[in-house]
Amino acid sequence: MKLWQKNVVPTAEIERFTVGRDRELDLYLAESDVLGSMAHITMLQSIGLLTASELQVLLAELRRILADIRAGEFSIEEGVEDIHSEVELLLTRRLGDVGKKIHSGRSRNDQVLVDLKLWTRRQLREVVELVKALFDALQVQSEQYKDVLMPGYTHLQVAMPSSFGLWFGAYAESLADDMLFLQAAYRLVNRNPLGSAAGYGSSFPLDRQMTTDLLGFDSMDYNVVYAQMGRGKMERNVAFALASVAGTIAKLAFDACLFNSQNFGFLKLPDECTTGSSIMPHKKNPDVFELTRAKCNKLQALPQQVTLIMNNLPSGYFRDLQIIKEVFLPAFDELKDCLRMTTYIIARIRVNEHILDDPRYDLMFSVEEVNRLASNGMPFRDAYRKVGLDIEAGQFTPQKQVHHTHAGSIGNLCTAEIASQMHQVLEGFPFERVDEAERKLAEG
Ligand code: ARG
């Protein structure tokens, strides 16, 4: 039985195709759907559409459903279209007619919007926490190895001295920038679409500020048409933030694979973090980084996937939007897994403290020598030429100490400054207020 069923029953084929993967994917949204309903009916009571006792009965049953969802004892039944229908069906089956009252003043269109926002808000928070954990691990390694030099490359040709402090620290700083995107995404997400109903509001005098406060949103998506236009736009913008993080991780993973190869030998993964070969008994492969690289490259396609699904839709709801859930919802688990694994390995990775004993890297000190001569008064271009000719003549002997002092260089990593940038962004997330609102709503 459909919420919208009257006299005509859709054929099994139409039902199969239109429900699609909703019975499976809407389970991601189940908790959020119940929270959204709790806020909605609390508001309905305040405007006289439910009595106080009806509200209490409904809230108590929604709490039971929430507990079942949290205990993993919840599913969307065969023949029921989606999470929104399942919850209303359970309430009606268990409580009778009062269950049929909860849908006044809303539509599944704003219901799924609010579900997606509540769910995404929670997921973004988890991503933020995992990004911070990786950031911390990178900063620890950066400080630990700040005095260990390694070759820096341009064109993948040995170029200039770099250091493990710089290498680890670079990825930490990259994550601090990615955090800004996550925060922008979070702010867009944290606005209440509930009350936009099918996309054009309602003739009931809905108290949208009340549901905004109950659900811990910063504010509402005011214009009801715009609220509905947020479906797809929200996912796309969040996807850009996830893609920014994924881009950082994919590059880190590629560096790590390269530097772990015998031909570089800069990094060493602990044996228990590598995998073997079925034919070559000596192999210790960096599969974790390879899989991370592939998954994170794939995640960078997410904004495009979302865009292409909703690109040419005019304003107003369309069923096309349902398909976004298929790519959007599972992406979070994938990114979170990559973040956890990267942190796990980064914390265990060892560096080769003696790379520069190998003479193949000697020429990376050429610029140090040019600069030394220039500091002693020789014009830079003359010093450059002299060192170049010495190298050609086989008369260059590297001085392997470096003296880089400016901000962000080998000798001055600015770890604390980068940490403080990260800290400032983190302070801007209203996690505690949101937690408190959700807890109050769920527990009453
Ligand atoms: N499963 C639908 C979706 O994700 C829920 C909204 C259905 N609304 C509708 N007008 N058919 O979009």
Side-chain angles (χ1 to χ4, degrees), residues 16-33:
R16 180 193 62 75
F17 191 72
T18 53
V19 171
R21 293 179 56 200
D22 263 12
R23 271 187 213 115
E24 160 207 348
L25 290 169
D26 275 10
L27 290 180
Y28 284 90
L29 305 177
E31 269 197 58
S32 308
D33 195 75

Side-chain angles (χ1 to χ4, degrees), residues 11-53:
T11 67
E13 272 307 275
I14 298 295
E15 146 108 15
R16 180 193 62 75
F17 191 72
T18 53
V19 171
R21 293 179 56 200
D22 263 12
R23 271 187 213 115
E24 160 207 348
L25 290 169
D26 275 10
L27 290 180
Y28 284 90
L29 305 177
E31 269 197 58
S32 308
D33 195 75
V34 172
L35 282 178
S37 287
M38 286 173 155
H40 182 67
I41 61 174
T42 305
M43 183 278 291
L44 287 184
Q45 191 270 324
S46 78
I47 60 168
L49 287 170
L50 289 171
T51 66
S53 60

Side-chain angles (χ1 to χ4, degrees), residues 4 18-19 22 26 29 81-84 107-113 116 198 228 231 317-325:
W4 44 270
T18 53
V19 171
D22 263 12
D26 275 10
L29 305 177
E81 276 192 300
D82 50 34
I83 181 63
H84 328 296
S107 148
R108 284 182 296 169
N109 295 355
D110 66 337
Q111 227 182 319
V112 64
L113 276 171
L116 281 164
Q228 180 55 56
R231 183 97 186 263
Y317 176 84
F318 295 92
R319 199 67 181 265
D320 307 51
L321 299 165
Q322 174 170 303
I323 300 301
I324 296 175
K325 293 190 289 193

Side-chain angles (χ1 to χ4, degrees), residues 37 40-41 44-45 49-62 87-104 106:
S37 287
H40 182 67
I41 61 174
L44 287 184
Q45 191 270 324
L49 287 170
L50 289 171
T51 66
S53 60
E54 285 174 329
L55 175 63
Q56 287 322 313
V57 173
L58 286 165
L59 282 176
E61 197 52 47
L62 284 171
V87 173
E88 186 172 322
L89 178 88
L90 289 177
L91 292 176
T92 308
R93 194 187 283 156
R94 295 175 188 173
L95 305 174
D97 277 357
V98 66
K100 299 187 202 158
K101 291 192 171 185
I102 66 164
H103 209 57
S104 306
R106 72 175 180 185

Side-chain angles (χ1 to χ4, degrees), residues 155-419:
H155 313 265
L156 211 49
Q157 303 281 311
V158 171
M160 283 185 65
S162 180
S163 72
F164 286 103
L166 276 179
W167 184 73
F168 285 113
Y171 286 102
E173 188 170 350
S174 182
L175 291 176
D177 271 1
D178 297 335
M179 197 61 98
L180 282 169
F181 272 88
L182 290 171
Q183 184 156 99
Y186 191 96
R187 288 192 188 182
L188 285 170
V189 169
N190 207 24
R191 293 194 177 140
N192 184 16
L194 197 59
S196 59
Y200 302 94
S202 165
S203 56
F204 291 123
L206 305 176
D207 184 348
R208 297 191 64 208
Q209 188 59 50
M210 183 174 184
T211 55
T212 300
D213 296 339
L214 286 170
L215 291 166
F217 284 116
D218 289 330
S219 64
M220 61 187 99
D221 289 323
Y222 288 98
N223 181 308
V224 290
V225 172
Y226 177 62
Q228 180 55 56
M229 280 161 60
R231 183 97 186 263
K233 177 175 177 174
M234 181 279 275
E235 293 94 317
R236 189 192 62 212
N237 288 330
V238 170
F240 273 115
L242 301 187
S244 189
V245 176
T248 299
I249 313 292
K251 196 183 275 285
L252 167 66
F254 197 165
D255 270 1
C257 289
L258 194 69
F259 295 164
N260 183 62
S261 132
Q262 293 85 352
N263 295 58
F264 285 78
F266 300 171
L267 295 174
K268 174 94 178 70
L269 292 176
D271 288 351
E272 64 276 16
C273 292
T274 63
T275 57
S277 149
S278 62
I279 179 173
M280 297 166 282
H282 65 285
K283 289 303 281 302
K284 289 178 179 142
N285 297 322
D287 291 20
V288 170
F289 278 128
E290 291 169 7
L291 292 167
T292 298
R293 179 172 59 196
K295 283 169 187 267
C296 285
N297 282 334
K298 191 177 84 167
L299 279 164
Q300 288 174 82
L302 188 62
Q304 280 69 33
Q305 286 181 294
V306 175
T307 302
L308 289 172
I309 295 168
M310 43 75 87
N311 208 16
N312 297 322
L313 299 181
S315 59
Y317 176 84
F318 295 92
R319 199 67 181 265
D320 307 51
L321 299 165
Q322 174 170 303
I323 300 301
I324 296 175
K325 293 190 289 193
E326 294 182 11
V327 292
F328 185 70
L329 301 179
F332 284 86
D333 283 338
E334 198 150 65
L335 181 61
K336 289 188 299 184
D337 206 16
C338 288
L339 282 164
R340 277 189 213 100
M341 290 311 296
T342 306
T343 306
Y344 182 87
I345 299 236
I346 285 295
R348 285 164 180 78
I349 215 162
R350 290 192 302 272
V351 315
N352 179 352
E353 309 212 11
H354 304 288
I355 317 163
L356 300 187
D357 297 349
D358 187 329
R360 84 174 77 196
Y361 302 118
D362 282 1
L363 293 182
M364 74 182 203
F365 293 101
S366 68
V367 182
E368 307 303 300
E369 181 58 12
V370 172
N371 289 357
R372 196 183 63 77
L373 296 172
S375 306
N376 291 340
M378 190 184 288
F380 175 83
R381 192 49 62 208
D382 293 345
Y384 170 93
R385 194 175 151 73
K386 173 180 163 20
V387 173
L389 291 173
D390 284 351
I391 290 170
E392 296 289 308
Q395 282 165 5
F396 174 72
T397 342
Q399 301 265 321
K400 294 192 181 179
Q401 293 80 35
V402 295
H403 303 285
H404 294 205
T405 55
H406 67 76
S409 67
I410 296 172
N412 184 5
L413 295 175
C414 296
T415 306
E417 287 83 343
I418 295 166

